[in-house]
Amino acid sequence: MASEFLQHAFHDQAVAFRSAALQAGPNTEVSTCPGWDVRQLVQHLAQAYARIERSLHLEPGSPRPEVPRPPADFDDVLTWWDERLAELRHSLSTVDPDRPVRWFHPGGTPRTWLRRAAHETAIHRLDAEHALAGLGPDHVHELIFDPELAADGIDEFLVSLLPLGDWSESEIEGEVLVHAPDAGRAWLVEFRPGEPPQAGPASGTALEADATIAGTADAVYRRVWGRPSTAVVTGDTALADLIAGR
């Protein structure tokens, strides 16, 4: 996806996140992030911005950077969030977008971190909207993400993030078709024993997959990120449930 589109998405989702968090108030429960209130949600996202910004200046293979603890007072937290956001946006606009930098695996650049920042913000914007509306953990919020943004978020999760972690002792085997027809996108996720799952564009044989997750790009985006969703799961639901980030 073009960097310009992601830059606009990052900006728009950040503005919406801040507005929802401010209206909800610091002590409001975030049902889609069990155990968190809005203050903790803002703290988390600000720390994510700080960690991404530091990663932009680190060589590939560098360890996960430490970042400061956020303030406790909500007004101070919002100010700290504003500062971390401004700092990150400035760095993203000034560094070489194709320079190899620290990432979860080889191949990371500031472009991949821009993508990560945009989707981290979008999903937590949804969390803040849930808190503001006082919705429970199973209620689907009416907010609709742009199909292009949602499809890119699905792709990022399936291709770049789902394989992370230690899968060496996994005995899971099977295939999951992930389909978002309104975006014209479909992915096949393959699980093999002892290997990280691999995802790529689905072919005609994907119709024989062991499980399917299907719906609008908005619904599937929410589903793969473990948020309330109208996406429909068929087939081996236990296998499909392995595709759910936080």
Side-chain angles (χ1 to χ4, degrees):
M1 177 172 286
S3 294
E4 184 177 356
F5 179 91
L6 286 172
Q7 288 168 355
H8 286 301
F10 181 24
H11 170 76
D12 292 346
Q13 295 301 318
V15 170
F17 170 85
R18 192 186 193 283
S19 175
L22 184 61
Q23 292 179 71
N27 300 318
T28 301
E29 177 185 1
V30 183
S31 65
T32 47
C33 295
W36 281 12
D37 58 23
V38 169
R39 177 188 288 102
Q40 290 167 300
L41 185 67
V42 178
Q43 290 172 328
H44 166 80
L45 189 55
Q47 284 191 301
Y49 291 164
R51 189 166 284 113
I52 291 173
E53 199 282 329
R54 292 193 175 186
S55 295
L56 296 175
H57 307 289
L58 296 176
E59 296 299 318
S62 298
R64 185 174 187 258
E66 296 295 327
V67 297
R69 291 178 61 85
D73 179 80
F74 192 54
D75 288 342
D76 292 340
V77 170
L78 284 173
T79 299
W80 201 70
W81 184 90
D82 290 337
E83 292 170 350
R84 301 290 71 74
L85 173 63
E87 182 179 47
L88 174 56
R89 295 191 66 192
H90 173 75
S91 291
L92 284 169
S93 68
T94 55
V95 300
D96 178 355
D98 297 311
R99 173 182 176 268
V101 297
R102 176 197 170 264
W103 179 245
F104 303 112
H105 44 73
T109 67
R111 290 185 194 274
T112 57
W113 280 118
L114 169 60
R115 189 188 201 194
R116 179 83 293 276
H119 292 298
E120 183 78 1
T121 305
I123 290 300
H124 288 315
R125 179 264 178 104
L126 179 60
D127 294 329
E129 299 282 2
H130 265 266
L132 175 59
L135 300 177
D138 299 320
H139 190 101
V140 179
H141 194 281
E142 63 183 9
L143 166 74
I144 303 296
F145 286 112
D146 175 84
E148 186 177 2
L149 176 66
D152 185 72
I154 299 165
D155 187 80
E156 185 210 26
F157 179 78
L158 296 179
V159 176
S160 296
L161 303 181
L162 182 61
L164 299 177
D166 184 5
W167 294 86
S168 60
E169 298 184 6
S170 170
E171 299 179 357
I172 299 165
E173 186 168 12
E175 297 179 341
V176 181
L177 172 64
V178 180
H179 191 202
D182 65 323
R185 301 286 297 274
W187 300 259
L188 186 67
V189 184
E190 300 181 69
F191 291 91
R192 298 290 178 262
E195 301 176 7
Q198 299 296 312
S203 64
T205 59
L207 294 175
E208 302 174 3
D210 302 288
T212 298
I213 302 172
T216 63
D218 172 86
V220 176
Y221 185 36
R222 300 177 193 220
R223 176 61 175 72
V224 301
W225 275 106
R227 268 58 179 186
S229 167
T230 59
V232 177
V233 179
T234 56
D236 187 339
T237 55
L239 186 63
D241 285 345
L242 296 174
I243 301 176
R246 296 304 308 174

